[in-house]
Amino acid sequence: MSGDDEDRADALFHALSDRTRRDILRRVLAGEHSVSALAANYDMSFAAVQKHVAVLEKAGLLTKRRSGREQLASGDVAAVRSVASMLTELEQVWRGRIARIDELIATDSTEEN
């Protein structure tokens, strides 16, 4: 991965590392919500929820648009799929490493006999 890809992965996984942000993301993936409606679901200040939304937006996991006085947030399904793709890529790397370890163990076992 390039440096830009690594920075994007860092932003995505940082955004997803928080339980509240994951919950907000689930809500906005299900449908568009105003930030004030999102804030009503949490036992924290409106400003704190705005910060969570900003982290998700910076990571590209949601987008905001203005409608009158409200800010409406929507989830970005393509961004979530990119996270899944990154995890699949990492899984393939580890599966390959485990397969090589298994091969080495098997080779070592046959040499000892």
Side-chain angles (χ1 to χ4, degrees):
M1 280 203 283
S2 72
D4 287 344
D5 290 340
E6 291 289 344
D7 291 344
R8 173 132 170 83
D10 288 347
L12 287 167
F13 289 113
H14 168 71
L16 293 171
S17 69
D18 182 85
R19 179 180 304 201
T20 300
R21 289 193 290 266
R22 289 190 307 272
D23 189 60
I24 290 170
L25 182 60
R26 277 190 288 277
R27 290 175 189 278
V28 298
L29 285 169
E32 190 173 61
H33 292 275
S34 70
V35 176
S36 56
L38 289 169
N41 292 297
Y42 304 102
D43 188 25
M44 62 181 72
S45 70
F46 177 77
V49 173
Q50 279 184 310
K51 288 179 183 180
H52 283 301
V53 168
V55 170
L56 290 165
E57 184 178 29
K58 183 178 177 187
L61 291 164
L62 67 73
T63 57
K64 287 189 311 193
R65 69 176 182 89
R66 278 215 177 272
S67 178
R69 295 178 59 198
E70 290 188 311
Q71 290 186 3
L72 301 175
S74 299
D76 186 335
V77 174
V80 174
R81 284 188 182 127
S82 74
V83 172
S85 176
M86 285 180 207
L87 291 172
T88 299
E89 191 177 305
L90 289 171
E91 179 186 14
Q92 290 171 349
V93 168
W94 281 104
R95 285 185 183 275
R97 289 180 179 177
I98 291 168
R100 284 193 295 279
I101 290 170
D102 287 344
E103 288 171 12
L104 289 171
I105 291 171
T107 301
D108 197 39
S109 294
T110 57
E111 288 176 2
E112 288 179 1
N113 293 332

